[in-house]
Amino acid sequence: MFTRNFRNICRRYSQSVTFRTTETSPVQQNDNQVGLFYTIEKDVCKKLFGHGGLPKSYMKQTKTFTETTLMIRQPALDVIDCIKASDLNKPAIRYVLYGETGTGKSLTLAHLIHYAHDAGFLIVHVPWVSEWLRRVPRHKEMSNSQTREGFVDLPLDAAAWLLHFKTQNQTLLKCGDLKISKDYVWSKREQTSAGAPLAELVEQGISRVKYACDVIDALVYEIKLLSNNKQCKTFVAVDGYNCFFYPMTRLNTPTKKKVKPEEVTLTTTFMELTKNDWTNGVIVLSVDQIAVPEDHQESYLPKYLLYKKGFEHLDPFVPVEVGRYSEKEFLSCASYYRDRLWLRGPEDLETELKLASACNPYKFMELCAPL
Amino acid sequence: MRNLTNQLLLFKKYIHELNSFRAVIQSRCYSRPTSFPDYFQNPIFRKEDQLKLIENNELSKLASVPIKPPAVYETSSVYHDPLVNKVINHVMEEGKKKLARSLVEKAFENIKRIQIERYHLATTPEQKSKIVLNPKEILHTAIENCKPLLQLTPIKRGGITYQVPGPITEKRSLFLAIKWLLEAANEKERTVHFPEQFAWELLDAANNTGKVVKRKQDLHRQCEANRAYAHYRWQ
Amino acid sequence: MSNVIKFSFKHIIPLSRCSYVRTKSTCLLNIKGYSSKAATTDSDVFDNFTDWETLSKTKKISKAMRAYLERAKEHDEFMKKQQFEFSIGKRHLANMMGEDPETFTQKDVDRAIEYLFPSGIYDPAARPLMKPPEEVFPARKAAEFDEAGRPHHFLFYTGKPNFFKLLYDAAENIQFLYKFEDKVIRKKETPYPNQNLDLSNTVWFTKDQLEQHLVEKLTDLEYENFKLVMERLISLPYSYQFKDFIEKFRKTLTSQKFALEIPKPNFDEDGRAYVTTYECLRKKARGDVTIRSPGTGKIIINGKDITYFEDTQSREQVIFPLIFTGMQNKVDVECNIEGGGPSGQSGAIRWGIAWGLRSFVDKNMLEAMQVAGLLTRDHRRRERKKPGQPGARKKPTWKRR
C-alpha cells in the first residue's frame, strides 16, 4: 500500500512516466489506467492488423514512433466490462460505436479486437466496409454471383478478407477443434466434406477465388452453428457498418447499371452475421460519417447514419459514444507526443493546441504535425 | 573563385550582424500596404517584442497612437513565423490559402518524419544532437543557404547586352531563394506529391547540397566570371 | 486668424495727424474721407474743410484695385446679409423647437436641423445644414496690394505668398538652429538639456487643412515639399525653440478611444459577470459577443463549438486575444454571427472578444492589447470594381501605342 502510493507520487513528479502503463493485455486493464498508453507487441500487431484494421494515418504514426501504442479510454473499458459481465448464453448483444469524425472509433475497435484476441475469442473483423463498396479503381473485379440470381460478387475482396481472417485466428484454427457440420460442393471436382476443420474451408476460399463469396457465406453459417454449440466464442467487429445501408454504391455492373448494397453478396452475409439469433458471441459495430459520401454527412448519430432499414435490423443495440479527449487524456497524449519527439516547444502551448483542436484526437494529431 | 566566395562570406557575416539588430523591426520588414492612413503604426503582438518595448518604456507612447489591426494570418502564439507565412503566400495560387497552408504543413510533417527516422537510426548521442528535428529551423537554414549575394543585371552597351554583377537587396534575395526552392520542387515526377518533393528540397538545401544551392553557386560563379564588366554599372 | 478679411486703407489727407485708419468692421469705406467708426473728431473737423489741394487732386486707382474694391464691397454686403439672415433664422428655429432663443448654441441648431430634415444620405457633407456664414462660404484674402498697385506682401509675385512665407520662415528657423548648434558646440554647454519636442500624439495637417489655413490652393508637390521641410526642422536638435511655430501646423489625433468607455459587467442569474459587445463587424460579418467572467475557457459560436470553423486559421484568430491576455481558462465566450465568410467572421469575433475583455483586464494589459492592435476596428471593405477595368485595381493590358 505504502509502496503503491510512493510509486504514484513518483509518477506525478516524473512527467515522462505518467502517460504509459506496463499492462500489455487489455484483459487486465481497469479504470485506473484511463488515459494511459499501452504498447502492443509487434507480432501481435502484425497478426491482428496485418491486412487492415488500423487507419492509414495511424499506421504512418506507428512507423514514425517505431512502436504501436493505444490509449486506454473510457468507452473501450465500458464495452470490455459489459462483455465480461454479460451472460454468453443469451443472444449476442450488439454494441454500436458512434462519434464525430476523428474521435477514435476505429482505434477503440482495434483495442477491443486485441482484448478479444487475448480473451480467446474467434475474431470476425471487417476492417473498413467502404473499401469494398466505394473504392473503385479503374477496373474492379466483379462478377455476377452464380449461387444467387441477380447478385454481384466481389471475389478479390472476399479472398483478401479470408486471408485476413486466417491470420487473425491462426492459433484457434490450428487447434483443429472447429469442424464443419455439412458438406459443401463447389464444383464437380471440389467439395468440402462435413467434419473437415474450418481452416480447410478458409484455404478453399483463398485458393479458389471464384467461390470466395460463397465460402464466406458458408463460413458465417458454420460460425453461428459453432457458437450456438458452445464450441467457440465469437467476436464480430465491423468498422463503417452504415455503408451497407447507404442507398447507392460506386460499383457498376458490366451493363453500366448502378449496384445497390443489397445486391452485393457480402452485404447479405454480414447482415446475417449481425442478427441476434445466435448465442455465445459479441457484436461490435461502428458507424462513421466518412463512410458515406459528403452529401449525407450532416450528423454522426446512429439513427441518421443507419437509415430506417439498418436501424430496424439492429434494433435492440447498445449505443456507445466515443467522445473527444478529456483534460487528463489530452495532457497524457501531449506528453506522449513530446516523448516521441513529435511535438516540441514550450510547455504552455498545450492550452493553445487544446483550444484550437477542441480536444479532437485526429485534429490534435494534425495540428502537431508541422510543429 | 575562392577569393570571391571568401569576400562574399565576409559580406554575409557583416549582413548577418546587421540583421540581428534588425530583429526588433522584423515586423516592419513584412509590413503590408493597407488602406489605413499613413499615421497608423504597425501592430506589435509577439510576446518578445512587447517585452522589449516594456523595457524601453515605450509602450505607453505607442498606446496613444492609432495602430492597425493584425492581419488574418498573424497570431501571438509562438508557432507563428513570418517567414513560414511568406512561403505559404508564394505557394498559394488563385488565392487558395487553405490549400497552400495544408501543402506546406504536410511538407513540414514529411521533414519531421524523415528527421525522426534518421534520429532513430543514429547511434551515438553526438550524431543525435546534430540532427535538427524542428522543421521551421530547417526551413530557415535552407533559405539562408539559398540566398544569393549578388545578382546579374543585363546592361546594354554598344549593341551588346552584358550580364553585369551587382548588389542585391535583402528582400530580393529572399524572394529569389523562395522562388528557386519552389521551382525545384515543381520539377518533380508525376507520381511524387508536392509536399514530399518540397520536403526533400528543403532538407537538401539545409545540408548545402541539392539543386537550389547548386543554382546559387552557379550564379556566384557567373558573377565572378563577369567581374570585368562590373564598372558598366556606373558608365 | 490674420488672414480673415482685413481691410487696411491709407487715408491720405494733407494733415498728417491721423494718417491711416484701420478698422476691423465690415463697414464700407469710401476713398474720400468716409467717416469710419474709429475716426477721431479731429479728422471730422478737418474733413469739413474743402481743401483746394484735395479738390484738385484726383486719386489714381489702378483698375485692379477698383475691381477688387467692387468685389470686396459686394462680398461684404453679401456676408452681412447672410449673417443677418442666419441670426434671424436661428431665432426662428429656436422658437419652432420651443427653446430659448438667447441660449441657442450651434449644437442645438445642428440637432434641430437633423430632426426637422431627416436625410438618408451617406455623405455628411451632402445633408442639410445650417451653419454661420463664415464656415459655409470660404474665406477670401484681404487686399494684397495698395491703391497704387504695390503689393503689401514681399512674396506677392510668387502667386502663393502665404505658402512661400511659411517655407521661408521654416528655412530661416533651420538656419538659426544650425547657427545655434554651432554656438553650443563652440561653448561646449547644453542649454535646457531636458526640453524635448513631444509630437507623438500629433500629425501634420493634411493638404486640405493646410489649404484652408493658408487660404491658398496647393499642388501635391508643394505639399510634399512642405512636409519635407517641417520634418527637417523637427529632426534638428534644439527644435523645441520653435515649438509654437511647429504646433501651428500639427493636428492632434483623437486618441485613447479604447480606454474611454469601458463598460461595467452586468450580472446574470448565476451571479457571473458578463459583458456583451454588439456590432462586431469585419467585412460583411455582423455579430455580437458575450464574455462571462468566472469561466473555464469554453467557446460557443452560433450554438456550436469552435468546430464551427473548419480551418485552423480562423480558429487561431478566435483564440488569439484569449491567449494574448492569458485569459483562456478564466472566461467563457458565447457569440452569434452571421454574414461574411470564415475570415470575416473570425475577425469580427476576435475584435469582439478583445473589446469585451477590456472590462476584465488591468491597465497594463489594456495598453499591451492596444499596441498589439487587437482593439482597432477593421474598417476595410471590399473595393468596388470600376467601369472600364476588369477589377478594382487591375487594368486592361497596357499598350504603349
Side-chain angles (χ1 to χ4, degrees):
Chain A
M1 176 75 172
F2 179 68
T3 44
R4 212 197 314 160
N5 282 342
F6 188 65
R7 244 185 290 146
N8 282 341
I9 294 169
C10 282
R11 267 200 208 136
R12 243 176 259 135
Y13 279 109
S14 53
Q15 270 288 334
S16 54
V17 184
T18 33
F19 55 86
R20 277 196 206 274
T21 167
T22 40
E23 303 269 0
T24 43
S25 172
V27 180
Q28 283 126 26
Q29 284 158 3
N30 53 2
D31 282 339
N32 289 343
Q33 291 152 343
V34 169
L36 304 179
F37 283 88
Y38 82 96
T39 336
I40 310 182
E41 291 144 30
K42 280 206 179 148
D43 355 317
V44 173
C45 181
K46 226 176 171 181
K47 183 172 144 190
L48 290 179
F49 306 118
H51 296 265
L54 294 174
K56 277 200 194 137
S57 46
Y58 185 73
M59 295 303 293
K60 271 202 255 178
Q61 295 285 66
T62 46
K63 200 172 149 225
T64 310
F65 299 162
T66 62
E67 60 179 4
T68 323
T69 53
L70 283 182
M71 189 195 259
I72 302 172
R73 296 184 74 195
Q74 196 57 43
L77 285 176
D78 284 342
V79 176
I80 291 178
D81 287 336
C82 283
I83 294 176
K84 281 188 195 166
S86 63
D87 183 5
L88 287 174
N89 294 326
K90 304 265 178 61
I93 312 178
R94 293 176 284 208
Y95 302 91
V96 175
L97 299 172
Y98 68 99
E100 293 170 340
T101 24
T103 41
K105 299 182 283 292
S106 305
L107 286 183
T108 318
L109 207 60
H111 190 183
L112 291 170
I113 288 174
H114 188 204
Y115 164 74
H117 172 260
D118 277 352
F121 280 79
L122 180 74
I123 307 177
V124 182
H125 168 54
V126 179
W128 186 236
V129 175
S130 308
E131 185 84 26
W132 296 342
L133 296 182
R134 302 192 57 78
R135 182 174 297 267
V136 184
R138 284 281 170 97
H139 173 67
K140 179 98 173 160
E141 266 279 338
M142 263 175 19
S143 59
N144 287 324
S145 164
Q146 278 144 357
T147 42
R148 294 193 229 182
E149 285 297 319
F151 272 71
V152 171
D153 240 2
L154 297 163
L156 286 180
D157 289 325
W161 184 80
L162 280 169
L163 191 56
H164 174 60
F165 177 77
K166 191 174 119 180
T167 28
Q168 273 187 332
N169 297 304
Q170 270 169 350
T171 37
L172 276 175
L173 287 176
K174 271 190 200 154
C175 301
D177 290 337
L178 310 164
K179 310 252 186 262
I180 325 178
S181 57
K182 56 178 205 186
D183 276 344
Y184 292 102
V185 182
W186 307 118
S187 67
K188 269 193 236 169
R189 271 170 267 162
E190 292 163 19
Q191 66 160 20
T192 325
S193 45
L198 214 57
E200 208 187 290
L201 192 63
V202 175
E203 284 297 324
Q204 174 72 23
I206 295 175
S207 46
R208 298 293 323 222
V209 172
K210 194 168 148 191
Y211 302 113
C213 283
D214 301 324
V215 166
I216 298 184
D217 253 338
L219 189 65
V220 160
Y221 179 71
E222 291 303 321
I223 289 177
K224 277 190 168 173
L225 273 180
L226 289 169
S227 305
N228 275 333
N229 299 339
K230 295 207 199 311
Q231 282 180 329
C232 68
K233 37 185 187 167
T234 319
F235 185 88
V236 180
V238 182
D239 203 353
Y241 192 65
N242 54 327
C243 201
F244 285 138
F245 301 108
Y246 184 69
M248 274 299 150
T249 62
R250 276 217 186 137
L251 306 165
N252 282 327
T253 56
T255 52
K256 300 277 177 106
K257 206 180 80 163
K258 282 276 182 196
V259 177
K260 287 197 198 151
E262 301 94 44
E263 294 167 14
V264 180
T265 42
L266 289 168
T267 323
T268 40
T269 319
F270 286 101
M271 297 219 350
E272 272 291 320
L273 190 55
T274 49
K275 278 191 192 158
N276 55 355
D277 53 358
W278 50 288
T279 61
N280 211 7
V282 183
I283 309 176
V284 180
L285 313 166
S286 89
V287 287
D288 209 341
Q289 268 177 312
I290 46 183
V292 271
E294 277 159 14
D295 309 337
H296 299 261
Q297 277 186 11
E298 279 165 9
S299 151
Y300 60 87
L301 301 168
K303 191 151 180 202
Y304 172 77
L305 288 171
L306 285 172
Y307 298 93
K308 193 160 165 227
K309 231 174 68 178
F311 198 73
E312 281 167 15
H313 175 81
L314 284 182
D315 201 351
F317 66 83
V318 179
V320 180
E321 183 175 1
V322 182
R324 300 179 182 170
Y325 279 154
S326 68
E327 294 269 341
K328 188 176 155 210
E329 287 175 340
F330 185 84
L331 285 171
S332 133
C333 192
S335 36
Y336 176 64
Y337 283 162
R338 271 184 206 281
D339 177 59
R340 290 282 106 201
L341 306 171
W342 188 240
L343 176 66
R344 353 195 74 238
E347 292 284 325
D348 39 329
L349 293 167
E350 268 141 37
T351 39
E352 270 189 46
L353 288 172
K354 201 200 296 192
L355 283 174
S357 65
C359 291
N360 187 329
Y362 187 62
K363 196 78 193 183
F364 179 49
M365 194 177 80
E366 276 189 341
L367 272 183
C368 290
L371 295 176
Chain B
M1 166 70 178
R2 214 180 275 167
N3 282 334
L4 182 67
T5 36
N6 283 344
Q7 285 167 20
L8 288 175
L9 283 167
L10 280 172
F11 188 55
K12 205 164 97 171
K13 268 192 211 162
Y14 176 59
I15 295 258
H16 208 63
E17 283 170 23
L18 279 183
N19 279 344
S20 58
F21 288 132
R22 278 192 219 149
V24 180
I25 332 173
Q26 197 166 21
S27 56
R28 279 189 189 250
C29 290
Y30 302 115
S31 68
R32 59 232 183 251
T34 55
S35 56
F36 287 100
D38 281 337
Y39 49 84
F40 273 75
Q41 301 290 324
N42 277 331
I44 299 177
F45 44 86
R46 314 277 318 263
K47 287 269 152 82
E48 311 95 40
D49 298 337
Q50 285 228 337
L51 278 173
K52 277 184 200 146
L53 280 184
I54 292 173
E55 280 167 35
N56 297 344
N57 286 334
E58 282 172 18
L59 197 72
S60 30
K61 272 195 216 166
L62 269 182
S64 49
V65 182
I67 298 196
K68 297 184 212 174
V72 189
Y73 44 81
E74 291 173 346
T75 60
S76 72
S77 76
V78 180
Y79 293 140
H80 167 252
D81 198 358
L83 190 66
V84 170
N85 184 56
K86 206 154 176 63
V87 170
I88 292 178
N89 281 346
H90 281 275
V91 167
M92 167 168 75
E93 280 174 28
E94 293 179 8
K96 293 182 171 176
K97 186 88 164 228
K98 261 197 221 176
L99 183 61
R101 185 176 167 146
S102 66
L103 286 174
V104 173
E105 291 195 340
K106 281 200 185 117
F108 282 172
E109 190 185 328
N110 286 338
I111 292 180
K112 219 155 111 177
R113 283 189 207 274
I114 295 169
Q115 292 292 85
I116 290 180
E117 235 186 89
R118 286 188 191 160
Y119 184 87
H120 286 305
L121 283 173
T123 41
T124 64
E126 293 167 2
Q127 280 179 350
K128 287 202 185 218
S129 58
K130 275 193 200 159
I131 297 180
V132 183
L133 287 174
N134 191 0
K136 288 195 183 125
E137 265 179 50
I138 291 196
L139 179 76
H140 281 272
T141 27
I143 288 190
E144 275 301 314
N145 288 345
C146 293
K147 276 195 194 170
L149 297 166
L150 299 171
Q151 64 176 353
L152 290 173
T153 328
I155 293 189
K156 209 163 174 186
R157 291 263 179 267
I160 312 177
T161 320
Y162 297 104
Q163 295 284 338
V164 174
I168 198 172
T169 55
E170 181 68 37
K171 269 192 187 179
R172 177 142 175 93
S173 81
L174 177 69
F175 167 73
L176 279 177
I178 300 179
K179 182 173 160 199
W180 289 344
L181 276 167
L182 290 179
E183 276 180 10
N186 276 325
E187 294 166 11
K188 58 180 181 63
E189 286 104 35
R190 222 178 121 250
T191 45
V192 177
H193 289 290
F194 173 80
E196 290 160 26
Q197 186 71 20
F198 193 47
W200 282 113
E201 294 294 333
L202 285 176
L203 282 169
D204 283 340
N207 236 348
N208 255 324
T209 52
K211 285 194 251 179
V212 193
V213 173
K214 182 167 169 297
R215 188 169 171 176
K216 172 192 95 153
Q217 283 166 351
D218 285 340
L219 178 67
H220 285 170
R221 260 177 246 135
Q222 268 270 357
C223 290
E224 169 72 28
N226 284 5
R227 206 168 50 166
Y229 304 131
H231 66 286
Y232 280 160
R233 270 184 37 203
W234 290 280
Q235 220 178 33
Chain C
M1 289 331 262
S2 54
N3 290 324
V4 177
I5 294 188
K6 190 169 75 170
F7 199 91
S8 90
F9 174 66
K10 277 207 170 120
H11 187 86
I12 302 176
I13 327 171
L15 307 155
S16 60
R17 236 184 291 185
C18 37
S19 39
Y20 68 101
V21 169
R22 205 179 187 186
T23 63
K24 269 200 176 162
S25 72
T26 50
C27 293
L28 210 55
L29 275 180
N30 236 339
I31 308 137
K32 285 194 184 167
Y34 182 83
S35 63
S36 60
K37 283 188 183 159
T40 57
T41 44
D42 288 337
S43 60
D44 280 335
V45 168
F46 288 126
D47 278 342
N48 290 332
F49 298 155
T50 43
D51 210 37
W52 182 80
E53 285 177 30
T54 48
L55 279 174
S56 60
K57 269 192 192 165
T58 45
K59 292 286 177 290
K60 284 210 181 104
I61 327 154
S62 54
K63 275 199 186 152
M65 192 63 173
R66 190 182 295 147
Y68 172 77
L69 284 172
E70 280 177 20
R71 260 187 283 131
K73 195 165 84 177
E74 279 175 33
H75 183 78
D76 290 337
E77 276 184 9
F78 172 73
M79 287 300 280
K80 196 170 138 205
K81 203 172 89 174
Q82 293 294 320
Q83 184 71 32
F84 182 66
E85 281 184 5
F86 177 73
S87 50
I88 291 200
K90 217 164 92 166
R91 295 184 78 89
H92 276 307
L93 196 60
N95 279 331
M96 261 197 276
M97 301 298 286
E99 299 197 24
D100 185 15
E102 305 297 328
T103 54
F104 207 55
T105 55
Q106 185 55 40
K107 260 193 179 173
D108 298 327
V109 171
D110 291 332
R111 240 185 325 120
I113 292 288
E114 213 185 299
Y115 171 70
L116 290 170
F117 302 100
S119 126
I121 302 178
Y122 292 121
D123 194 2
R127 293 186 202 141
L129 55 75
M130 184 165 161
K131 293 251 178 346
E134 290 92 40
E135 283 180 42
V136 178
F137 300 105
R140 289 157 64 121
K141 273 205 198 148
E144 292 167 297
F145 40 83
D146 59 5
E147 75 334 314
R150 286 197 203 94
H152 299 300
H153 204 286
F154 73 105
L155 289 172
F156 170 76
Y157 287 107
T158 54
K160 298 175 189 176
N162 291 329
F163 175 69
F164 285 103
K165 176 84 172 25
L166 211 190
L167 288 185
Y168 180 79
D169 284 338
E172 268 200 356
N173 295 343
I174 290 173
Q175 292 296 322
F176 178 80
L177 284 175
Y178 284 156
K179 293 204 180 95
F180 189 77
E181 203 180 335
D182 288 337
K183 242 198 298 186
V184 160
I185 292 171
R186 252 183 287 131
K187 288 196 187 162
K188 294 181 188 166
E189 304 167 349
T190 41
Y192 312 115
N194 292 332
Q195 276 209 16
N196 265 320
L197 262 187
D198 185 20
L199 296 172
S200 53
N201 219 6
T202 54
V203 244
W204 291 117
F205 271 175
T206 56
K207 188 160 163 278
D208 300 315
Q209 285 166 338
L210 192 61
E211 282 181 356
Q212 226 187 20
H213 188 261
L214 300 173
V215 200
E216 273 164 14
K217 291 271 179 199
L218 298 173
T219 60
D220 288 331
L221 196 62
E222 288 169 353
Y223 176 66
E224 292 295 317
N225 260 335
F226 160 73
K227 274 212 290 204
L228 273 172
V229 168
M230 298 305 274
E231 289 287 328
R232 182 99 188 96
L233 183 62
I234 292 177
S235 66
L236 294 172
Y238 317 111
S239 49
Y240 51 80
Q241 295 181 10
F242 297 107
K243 199 169 160 179
D244 303 324
F245 174 70
I246 294 170
E247 283 188 359
K248 254 195 291 178
F249 300 100
R250 298 276 300 193
K251 191 180 87 154
T252 45
L253 299 167
T254 44
S255 58
Q256 298 276 0
K257 252 196 209 156
F258 62 94
L260 282 178
E261 301 158 352
I262 303 182
K264 287 222 173 77
N266 305 323
F267 289 88
D268 64 352
E269 304 115 12
D270 303 328
R272 297 158 84 190
Y274 74 94
V275 173
T276 325
T277 349
Y278 298 102
E279 284 190 4
C280 305
L281 336 154
R282 168 105 213 275
K283 285 178 163 196
K284 292 252 176 170
R286 302 280 178 272
D288 54 87
V289 174
T290 316
I291 303 189
R292 288 175 205 278
S293 171
T296 46
K298 276 193 283 201
I299 303 178
I300 301 179
I301 306 174
N302 278 359
K304 259 175 94 167
D305 206 359
I306 198 172
T307 37
Y308 176 80
F309 292 122
E310 275 152 16
D311 56 328
T312 341
Q313 193 170 274
S314 309
R315 290 191 194 176
E316 276 175 11
Q317 287 297 296
V318 168
I319 300 170
F320 182 9
L322 294 171
I323 290 178
F324 184 79
T325 51
M327 309 268 279
Q328 60 262 52
N329 292 329
K330 300 180 194 153
V331 287
D332 275 349
V333 175
E334 217 182 282
C335 35
N336 304 309
I337 15 150
E338 48 187 19
S343 268
Q345 288 187 340
S346 56
I349 296 177
R350 180 183 89 185
W351 183 81
I353 295 178
W355 204 246
L357 278 175
R358 286 183 307 160
S359 329
F360 298 110
V361 152
D362 63 331
K363 205 173 148 221
N364 288 333
M365 189 44 85
L366 196 65
E367 279 189 0
M369 276 213 282
Q370 166 67 3
V371 171
L374 282 168
L375 300 171
T376 4
R377 231 196 193 151
D378 200 340
H379 69 267
R380 298 177 283 181
R381 302 275 174 262
R382 195 184 69 106
E383 200 174 313
R384 151 214 167 158
K385 173 195 172 316
K386 282 93 188 175
Q389 291 174 18
R393 297 280 172 109
K394 185 175 179 184
K395 315 278 188 289
T397 350
W398 181 73
K399 297 214 173 83
R400 200 188 287 271
R401 50 189 70 88

